[in-house]
Amino acid sequence: MTHFPDAGLGLKPRHYDAALACSTAGLWFEVHPENYMVAGGPRLAWLEAIRGRHPVSLHGVALSLAADAEPDAAHLKRLVELARRVEPVLISEHLAWSTWRGAYHPDLLPFPRTTQALVRISDNVSRTQDALQRRIAVENPSHYLKLDGHEWSETEFLQELAHRTGCGLLLDVNNVYVSACNMGYSAEDYLDAFPAEPVMEIHLAGHAPDPNLGEALLVDSHDAPVAAEVWVLYERLIRRIGARPTLIERDDNLPEFGVLLAERDRAANILRDPLAEAA
Amino acid sequence: MIASGTLARFQDDFAQALLATDAAASPALAAVKAQPAFAIYRNTVMKGCIDALQANYPAVTRLVGDEWLRAAAAVYARDALPARPMLLEYGADFADFLAQFNPAAELPYLPGVARLDRFWTEAHAAASEDTLAPAAVTPLASGNFFRARLQPHAATRWAWFADAPIYTIWSRNRSDAVFDGDIEWQPEGALLTRPGDSVQWCALDRAGCVFLDTCAAGGTLADAAQAALAVQPDADLGRLMARLLEAGVFSRLDPNT
């Protein structure tokens, strides 16, 4: 393991003070840039204070890379400006769409993985990287629906996207677990097929059974600790591809900062010594 | 550029199905909509909008309760998804919506309270700039003084409510604190500022609101004073100026032009 930040935490406003005071080595924080796209005021001041003490990553939810349209120029400009201000250690987005014909849908929406979509998304990723003047990481989303018309598996699609654009990938192991359960495939097979070299970051998070459908449908809810099954998949992945910056995501049902930090430490320990943790 | 190919058609159909309230949908998506999991996307999109409105309108929420607010927010969201992904901005015209919303007809003060919640958000996110120190005004000789113009700070918001004590209702419901005592039913004005990066508020009389309206419109201090005295002949302008400067209302003083 180098001195590159190892394991980090998603940062919520409730934890600003604890995050600012924390001196854990290797700790870094991730935020959604959309929450900091303001003209000025305390939000930016908080983020800059955190940035003064810890590396920060920007994890976007609104570039809508998988929309059949170019990324919104004004939104891309806001992202460029925020990146200039924060100098993030990493910038990532999703293999999904959210903004469409001027309306923002606060979700990560699915699409058929066709070659046409690949061409469009490659173009969108390239435009984004050109604007930011840097490589971004693209994340595998959670799946709930069976869609007709896929021409590519997701792992091959992402590999080809990385090949065409030079982008990196963000591998969300919880999304893999949730999708594998919902769609009926093997999470191990998916992870084994995931291209190792472009992985710039890994996400771990909690999920929950759907309130109506129960265990038959898992929801990527980010409101619980990382599940035991996901930790097992994570350890197996790290043994195969080696250490990568890893983030614990938690958006709802927030515990105290120390509880999240303990989860983060568990990931950091696996990164440092994957074999020891597996024993 | 938006394409007109298969992916674009899929996205048109999917986006429409997310908001459709009945079973009608493009035949191409019938197999997708028939899956129980489609509800996850519908619910997530609606929850994202409703959570944002609830977070952006805390005093309105406290007055009407979570359930009422979320039901109203669902009606609002179905007609108006966010135009931009910064959800702090979402619901800019929620006050206007409430003014037209039949179930809110018995709560005529609700749109005014929503307007002050909105002011808070705008003040919170406004550009950072220095506030004009009271000492910056004193050196002006009296002759120049009335030719000067005062520029309100980017975060400063104010409004006069002629029909109801909106400021008192709003400020009592902006926090969890419990207030005793009756509210006197009278017109009120409100002033929000952001000195030192934290939003502050206080009541403002009619003269103060008109004074600031005139400053914001580019009027000189003489214009502002005249307008204030026109609506409130007994206004104490010296005291008003001191209060406004103390609250960090202004960013700049242009001596004269």
Side-chain angles (χ1 to χ4, degrees), chain A residues 34 39-43 62 66-70 75 78 97 100-102 104-105 107 109-110 116 120 144-146 213 217, chain B residues 1-3 6-8 10-12 32 35-37 40-41 44 81-82 84-86 88 124-128 194 197:
Chain A
E34 295 79 8
R43 285 196 180 203
D68 203 355
E70 291 163 15
H75 190 67
R78 288 190 288 267
W97 57 287
W100 181 242
R101 298 203 194 276
Y104 173 64
H105 304 77
D107 200 357
L109 302 169
Q116 183 214 347
R120 170 58 95 173
Y144 307 103
L145 284 174
K146 294 186 167 61
L213 299 168
L217 191 66
Chain B
M1 282 287 290
I2 290 180
T6 330
L7 181 57
F10 172 85
Q11 279 155 350
D12 280 336
V32 168
Q35 297 174 51
I40 289 184
Y41 292 105
T44 304
L81 286 175
R84 309 209 300 175
M86 295 85 83
L88 186 67
H124 172 73
S128 298
R194 199 190 72 202
D197 258 6

Side-chain angles (χ1 to χ4, degrees), chain B residues 14 22 39 46 48 67 73 78 82 101 111 141 149 159 171 175 177 204:
Chain B
F14 200 97
D22 53 31
M46 284 307 284
E67 199 182 334
R78 260 194 291 276
F101 189 51
R149 290 178 167 81
S171 56
S175 73
L204 188 63

